[in-house]
Amino acid sequence: MTGRITFWFDFASTYSYLSVMRIGGLAAARGISVSWKPFLLGPVFAAQGWNTSPFNLFPAKGRYMWRDLERICAARGLSFCRPDSFPQNGLLAARLALAAAEEDRIAAFTQAVFQAQFGQGADIADERVLQGCLRVSGLAPGLVQRALDPAIKSALRAQTDEAIAMGIFGAPSFTSGAELFWGDDRLEQALDHAAAVTI
Amino acid sequence: MTGRITFWFDFASTYSYLSVMRIGGLAAARGISVSWKPFLLGPVFAAQGWNTSPFNLFPAKGRYMWRDLERICAARGLSFCRPDSFPQNGLLAARLALAAAEEDRIAAFTQAVFQAQFGQGADIADERVLQGCLRVSGLAPGLVQRALDPAIKSALRAQTDEAIAMGIFGAPSFTSGAELFWGDDRLEQALDHAAAVTI
C-alpha cells in the first residue's frame, strides 16, 4: 500500500507556488499519492483579525517574503514575476480546481494557474487568464459553468472548514495522518512522514 | 579571506534554539566566521502592534510551532522540554551574552542558556539558572555586574535598533552583506551566500 499526503494550498499564496511546482515529482519518487486540496486563506486570516495577507499587514515581513521567493525561484530554476497586486482573488481559480479534480486534472490546472500568477505576473481573477490555464491543462472552456455550480461552491467552503478544523493557519500545509506540516520548507519532512506510515 | 555571517537571535525565541545549536559547526565547516548578535524581539513585535509572541496571539500557529519544534529536535537528537511559560524574559540573558562576548565566550554561554531553556525547561529569567550557564561556559559569576553596566544596556538597545534597521522582523535571522535570511530553515542558504561573498 502506498503512502498518502494531503496538500492544502491557497491560490493567492506565494509559497504555495513553490510546493505546487515540486510536490508531484517528489511524491511520485517516493511512491506517495497526493490529494490536492485548495482552500481559502481569507476566512482563516479573518479569524485571526486580519483583513488581508500578513505580508501586507507587516511590511518588513512582506519585503522579506518577496526577496526570499525570488531567491528560491532562481535557485530552483522557476520563473518568477511579481504580480502588480497581492493577494489576488483566487476564488474562481479554486472553484475551477475542484471542477478540474472531477476530471483528474487538478495538478496540471493548478500548476498552470500558479505559473501564470507568479511566473508571469498575470491576474488570476481575470477569467481570460484562467481560460488559458484550462487550455494548457487539457480542459474545456465550459468547465467555468461547472465551477459556478452550488455543489462546487459548497465543496470549497467545506474544504476551508476542514482546513481550519485540522489546525491549518497558513499555506502551503501538508497533512499526513494526524500530523500537520506548514510551509514549502516542510514538504520533504511531510513526505518522509507519509512514506513511513502505511495506510 | 573568510566569509562572515551575522547571526541575530532573541533569547526567548524557540526557533533560535535550533540555530544556536548548529550554526557554529556548520559555519566552521565552510570556513565562515559568525558574529553573534542577541537582540530583543519585544520592541520589534511592539512595532507590529503585538504585546506578546505571535505564537501566543495566534493559537493555531502556536500549537503548530511547539509540535514542529519537538519533531525537529527529535530528528536532530536535541533535547527538548517545553518551559512552563513562554515567552520568557531574556533581558538579563541578552545582557550577559554581550558581557560574555567581551571575553570571547558568547557562543558557549548562549548555547548553555538555550539548552537550559528549551532542552531542560528552565526559567532563564532566574539568575540562578544563568549562573549555572556562566559556570558551564567557563565564565565567572561576577559577570552579572558587568551585564548591568549602562554600556552593556545601551549596546543591547543599539543592537536591537540595528536589527530593525536591517529589516529584521523575527528570529533567528542571518545577514550576509545586504541579504537577509529568516529562520533556521534558511541557515544553510545564508551560509552558502556568505561563503560565496569574499569580504
Side-chain angles (χ1 to χ4, degrees), chain A residues 17 66-67 69-70 73-74 78-83 118-121:
Chain A
Y17 175 41
W66 289 111
R67 177 66 185 137
L69 191 69
E70 182 180 28
C73 287
L78 277 178
S79 56
F80 172 72
C81 179
R82 181 174 171 174
F118 296 117
Q120 300 157 34

Side-chain angles (χ1 to χ4, degrees), chain B residues 98-143:
Chain B
L98 291 184
E102 296 177 334
E103 314 211 2
D104 274 336
R105 287 272 198 282
I106 187 169
F109 173 74
T110 300
Q111 288 179 343
V113 174
F114 275 93
Q115 280 183 303
Q117 184 179 201
F118 296 116
Q120 300 156 32
D123 178 4
I124 63 162
D126 183 337
E127 194 182 316
R128 290 165 302 181
V129 171
L130 293 174
Q131 284 292 353
C133 297
L134 289 173
R135 195 165 54 245
V136 300
S137 49
L139 290 160
L143 206 68

Side-chain angles (χ1 to χ4, degrees), chain A residues 53-90:
Chain A
S53 165
F55 296 127
N56 290 341
L57 291 171
F58 311 114
K61 201 177 174 87
R63 276 190 296 274
Y64 173 77
M65 178 276 287
W66 289 111
R67 177 66 185 137
D68 187 45
L69 191 69
E70 182 180 28
R71 285 189 306 225
I72 295 172
C73 287
R76 295 186 186 171
L78 277 178
S79 56
F80 172 72
C81 179
R82 181 174 171 174
D84 288 337
S85 77
F86 175 84
Q88 294 195 2
N89 183 336

Side-chain angles (χ1 to χ4, degrees), chain B residues 50-133:
Chain B
W50 299 341
N51 61 357
T52 180
S53 164
F55 295 127
N56 290 342
L57 291 172
F58 311 115
K61 200 178 174 88
R63 277 190 295 275
Y64 173 77
M65 179 275 288
W66 289 111
R67 177 65 185 138
D68 187 45
L69 192 68
E70 184 180 28
R71 286 189 306 225
I72 295 172
C73 287
R76 295 186 187 171
L78 277 178
S79 55
F80 172 72
C81 179
R82 181 174 171 174
D84 288 336
S85 77
F86 174 83
Q88 295 196 0
N89 183 336
L91 184 60
L92 181 55
R95 289 173 176 164
L96 272 169
L98 291 184
E102 296 177 334
E103 314 211 2
D104 274 336
R105 287 272 198 282
I106 187 169
F109 173 74
T110 300
Q111 288 179 343
V113 174
F114 275 93
Q115 280 183 303
Q117 184 179 201
F118 296 116
Q120 300 156 32
D123 178 4
I124 63 162
D126 183 337
E127 194 182 316
R128 290 165 302 181
V129 171
L130 293 174
Q131 284 292 353
C133 297

Side-chain angles (χ1 to χ4, degrees), chain B residues 184-195:
Chain B
D184 182 69
D185 296 319
R186 292 289 176 278
L187 176 52
E188 286 84 355
Q189 199 182 329
L191 291 169
D192 287 346
H193 186 272

